[in-house]
């Protein structure tokens, strides 16, 4: 059983650029969530996809967008990068549509994005 | 007030000690809760779920107090390998809110 894989592992971008981060969910998991984790803070919920539809969103501006594909892999796109977007971006997958159903997340190892 | 609050610590304890962390949450509609462990510069990993009064797994015990809206994590007989940041997670309506974590350092 393969876990959650993310690419790339590290990325440096310039302010104003756009970035796409990728995630392959764990086998059998149809829900993918994206989180942003700044240094010294807990992960902040960006959004969640279940069977290719967004079914939850946190307090992030519209320049943060995503997709989920039929194979349940996912992309996170960030436009017009700002310095404050520098963080670890974590992808997490789980079976079922809601963590309230007692399914825990399996996290990928993250993409560390630096905006200069 | 944050939706999920944790004492950031750090908690510095000797091997063999018992240590407890608390996490308070504001959304009374939440039904289940989770504790994750995160090692430095690594991804969070699920430690325990809590969806009734409590849950026990070896040296780890998680308890839920709905009336006071907090969950706790108790670690008995601490090991050096328990050193990590412990994150409390409160899911609700398709969104999961993480606390900022409590850092534990277990010393020889």
């Amino acid at each position: 059983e393969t876990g959650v894989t993310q690419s790339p592992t590290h990325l440096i971008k310039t302010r104003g650029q756009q970035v796409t981060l990728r995630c392959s969910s764990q086998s059998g998991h149809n829900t993918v969530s994206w989180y942003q984790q700044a240094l010294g803070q807990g992960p902040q919920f960006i959004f969640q996809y279940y069977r290719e539809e967004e079914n939850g969103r946190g307090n992030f501006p519209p320049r943060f967008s995503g997709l989920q594909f039929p194979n349940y892999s996912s992309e996170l796109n960030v436009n017009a990068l700002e310095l404050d977007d520098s963080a670890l971006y974590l992808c997490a997958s789980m079976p079922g549509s809601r963590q309230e159903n007692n399914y825990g997340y399996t996290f990928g190892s993250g993409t560390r994005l630096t905006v200069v | 007030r944050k939706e999920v609050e944790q004492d950031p610590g750090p908690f510095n304890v000797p091997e063999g000690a018992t240590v407890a962390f608390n996490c308070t949450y504001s959304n009374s509609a939440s039904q289940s809760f989770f504790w994750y462990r995160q090692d430095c510069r690594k991804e969070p990993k699920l430690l325990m779920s809590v969806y009734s009064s409590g849950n026990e797994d070896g040296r780890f015990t998680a308890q839920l107090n709905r009336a006071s809206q907090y969950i706790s994590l108790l670690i008995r007989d601490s090991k050096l390998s328990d050193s990590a940041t412990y994150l409390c997670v409160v899911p609700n309506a398709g969104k999961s809110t993480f606390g900022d974590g409590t850092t534990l350092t277990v010393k020889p």
Side-chain angles (χ1 to χ4, degrees):
Chain A
E1 175 181 273
T2 55
V4 178
T5 57
Q6 292 186 243
S7 63
T9 55
H10 295 80
L11 199 54
I12 300 175
K13 288 285 191 177
T14 303
R15 190 171 50 182
Q17 284 188 312
Q18 177 266 343
V19 68
T20 297
L21 309 182
R22 294 180 173 83
C23 171
S24 293
S25 61
Q26 181 168 317
S27 176
H29 288 189
N30 52 19
T31 296
V32 171
S33 299
W34 286 92
Y35 285 83
Q36 179 195 68
Q37 187 174 25
L39 203 60
Q41 295 182 17
Q44 301 294 308
F45 177 69
I46 302 175
F47 42 58
Q48 177 169 291
Y49 282 84
Y50 171 63
R51 292 186 175 178
E52 303 177 62
E53 297 285 332
E54 184 181 293
N55 75 338
R57 189 176 181 95
N59 296 324
F60 279 80
R63 61 189 184 84
F64 286 78
S65 63
L67 283 174
Q68 187 179 31
F69 300 100
N71 66 354
Y72 305 132
S73 65
S74 178
E75 287 182 355
L76 164 65
N77 299 290
V78 187
N79 293 322
L81 284 166
E82 301 176 359
L83 297 179
D84 285 349
D85 295 334
S86 296
L88 179 67
Y89 288 83
L90 293 161
C91 172
S93 73
M94 66 177 177
S97 61
R98 290 174 180 266
Q99 196 173 182
E100 295 98 299
N101 296 332
N102 303 321
Y103 300 118
Y105 284 131
T106 299
F107 279 89
S109 55
T111 294
R112 192 163 298 278
L113 173 65
T114 302
V115 183
V116 297
Chain B
R1 183 190 169 190
K2 286 187 173 182
E3 289 183 52
V4 178
E5 293 201 68
Q6 296 183 248
D7 181 343
F11 284 65
N12 297 307
V13 302
E15 270 187 292
T18 295
V19 62
F21 313 132
N22 280 339
C23 168
T24 58
Y25 61 94
S26 59
N27 192 332
S28 59
S30 298
Q31 295 296 309
S32 58
F33 308 85
F34 297 84
W35 283 101
Y36 283 74
R37 169 198 170 121
Q38 186 171 28
D39 293 294
C40 187
R41 302 185 74 81
K42 299 281 190 179
E43 72 274 19
K45 293 189 176 177
L46 180 64
L47 184 64
M48 299 182 75
S49 60
V50 190
Y51 50 91
S52 56
S53 59
N55 191 12
E56 185 171 329
D57 183 5
R59 298 183 293 110
F60 298 82
T61 300
Q63 291 192 315
L64 168 63
N65 184 317
R66 289 190 191 276
S68 300
Q69 293 185 204
Y70 77 83
I71 60 173
S72 63
L73 178 67
L74 180 78
I75 305 175
R76 290 181 296 276
D77 189 23
S78 299
K79 311 290 184 191
L80 296 177
S81 58
D82 293 334
S83 297
T85 296
Y86 291 84
L87 298 161
C88 165
V89 182
V90 180
N92 185 50
K95 170 186 168 182
S96 287
T97 303
F98 280 72
D100 285 335
T102 297
T103 299
L104 171 67
T105 300
V106 181
K107 299 188 174 181

